[in-house]
Amino acid sequence: MSASEHGGIAKRGDPAAASAGGSPPALARRHIRLSSHPGGTTKPVAIEWGAPDPKARGPVLGSVRDGSRRNVIGAHSGSYSLYRALAVAAGQLDPVHVPDLTDTAPAEPIGPYPQWAGSERIVSLDPFGHMVSEAFADEIAGGLDIRPTIAVTKAHLTVPEIKGAIEAGRLSPDGEVLTSNGDARVTKMAIEPVWYLPGIAARFGIGEAELRRALFEESGGMYTELVTRPDVKVFLPPVGGITVYGFGDVGAPAHAGGAVTCRVHDECNGSDVFGSDICTCRPYLTHGIEECIAAAQGGGTGFVVYNRKEGRALGEVTKFLVYNARKRQPGGDRAETYFERTECVAGVQDMRFQELMPDVLHWLGIRRIDRFVSMSDMKRDAIEAQGIAIGRQVPIPPDLVPDDAQVEITAKRAAGYYSDVGSPSSGELQETAGRSLTD
Ligand SMILES: [Zn+2]
């Protein structure tokens, strides 16, 4: 009998489900696994964060089946760990399943680079996360369920705006970076967050205990070990990760010192995927891809870093509430109140915390970004604060800004974002308005 024939989710310990010959009711046979206090004679596998050699650093062991050997708080796969829990609860996933990692190794080598060493430059991802099959082959053979937190593969991108750039004569297929039919060849890298809590706390200038307490309390007490296990320093937070799209030789910035073009883009599903015109996100993203292709064709490397930080990390519900508030306020949607309306709803203007963003640039071995495709002063300052130089900031070309997004771009210029045309006058700030909700 399948779970659906059984009338929905197979209950834990349900004898009908247990006797049906499906997956065993593994959860029913065990005590609840508590990890809130150290127990037994086995200790967590040691991690020396920042050690330059993966063997000395030690593996990030997040599998829940490894019990007291685990050396992290939380579980692998970020927010998807909760879908995994649902799959186990529904009897569809064997909780002791171990991934078969045959043929999953990176399609392109990344590092190791000198920036990976030390506990300050990289605190929000595991720099060895893509190399675990190789680096910890002995431990895996010995029975530890060590999982990659980074995967590196290859792809072609078919983007209408890039075909448009070819038609307009701004790009030309070269058969390498850009195929004859206008597809871009990329190396794409998926990165899950791995937080070294002392390093995260240091990055924000707060105490580790303070950070742990806020994470514990503000998640509704989701991870008890944050406050009961100060010996466990690594947290796998249930937040979105990063995807990097690399154009050209992705190892060149570290090895050959080649010119680097980079766009650090924070997710905006409405614009990026669906073409919503209230902001400049997709136009800026595709402009960044175009810049990266041009860089790679010129012998350099391009990187688009895509962070899952929807709606300034406030989430899409908050974002849509803000859109309504902006458009319904007396006087309509205006540049001069753009940031204020966000703060009224969310309590802050922005929760993306660019302080952690440069970690991925260190992971890629980048020391200098020659063309930084962004107007954001917060991103620029965060990158420079982490010791990566920025040559030129490249604003979005004015003709790519949708009409309804003039409110956003004018407000950002007024707030100090980089622009070729400088800050708007007070008259321009007052006069720049967007559509109403009903237009
Ligand atoms: Zn947007």
Side-chain angles (χ1 to χ4, degrees), residues 266-272 278-282 319 323 408:
D266 294 327
E267 177 178 33
C268 173
N269 185 267
S271 171
D272 294 345
I278 195 171
C279 56
T280 55
C281 299
R282 181 176 172 97
K319 178 168 155 176
Y323 288 159
E408 175 205 303

Side-chain angles (χ1 to χ4, degrees), residues 206-266:
I206 57 175
E208 186 188 339
E210 205 177 334
L211 171 68
R212 284 173 172 264
R213 180 174 176 160
L215 290 170
F216 173 70
E217 291 185 341
E218 298 302 323
S219 65
M222 194 166 177
Y223 298 98
T224 318
E225 303 99 311
L226 284 166
V227 288
T228 63
R229 295 291 303 273
D231 60 312
V232 181
K233 300 290 187 188
V234 176
F235 179 40
L236 303 181
V239 298
I242 304 166
T243 313
V244 179
Y245 287 85
F247 302 76
D249 177 0
V250 295
H255 298 124
V260 172
T261 291
C262 179
R263 163 128 186 105
V264 176
H265 189 91
D266 294 327

Side-chain angles (χ1 to χ4, degrees), residues 26 30 63-65 84 88 92-101 145 147:
R30 293 202 308 261
S63 166
V64 293
R65 66 183 279 276
R84 183 183 176 281
V88 170
Q92 293 171 10
L93 174 63
D94 183 347
V96 297
H97 170 77
V98 176
D100 174 1
L101 298 174
D145 181 7
R147 303 194 178 191

Side-chain angles (χ1 to χ4, degrees), residues 273-420:
V273 179
F274 290 95
S276 168
D277 71 344
I278 195 171
C279 56
T280 55
C281 299
R282 181 176 172 97
Y284 219 158
L285 177 62
T286 57
H287 179 63
I289 293 171
E290 183 178 330
E291 282 274 345
C292 285
I293 291 169
Q297 290 186 325
T301 310
F303 293 103
V304 172
V305 175
Y306 193 89
N307 294 305
R308 294 315 191 299
K309 290 180 179 172
E310 176 60 64
R312 298 194 200 132
L314 302 168
E316 205 168 38
V317 169
T318 298
K319 178 168 155 176
F320 289 6
L321 296 175
V322 170
Y323 288 159
N324 283 347
R326 278 171 51 188
K327 289 179 177 292
R328 284 182 178 136
Q329 68 187 318
D333 188 16
R334 300 187 320 283
E336 61 175 340
T337 56
Y338 171 82
F339 287 108
E340 186 188 311
R341 292 311 305 165
T342 305
E343 198 164 347
C344 286
V345 177
V348 292
Q349 292 181 1
D350 197 315
M351 285 203 286
R352 283 176 288 184
F353 294 115
Q354 301 297 350
E355 286 87 344
L356 301 177
M357 172 269 288
D359 288 23
V360 66
L361 305 175
H362 285 310
W363 180 70
L364 290 162
I366 295 172
R367 295 177 184 277
R368 175 187 164 84
I369 297 171
D370 298 271
R371 288 176 70 76
F372 183 52
V373 187
S374 171
M375 292 166 69
S376 171
D377 51 337
M378 289 175 285
K379 290 176 184 170
R380 181 196 61 220
D381 293 349
I383 290 169
E384 289 180 339
Q386 289 303 308
I388 296 169
I390 289 181
R392 212 190 135 207
Q393 249 181 300
V394 181
I396 186 170
D399 59 314
L400 292 183
V401 179
D403 284 347
D404 202 39
Q406 292 296 343
V407 171
E408 175 205 303
I409 215 80
T410 306
K412 286 182 170 177
R413 280 168 51 214
Y417 280 54
Y418 177 79
S419 164
D420 281 345

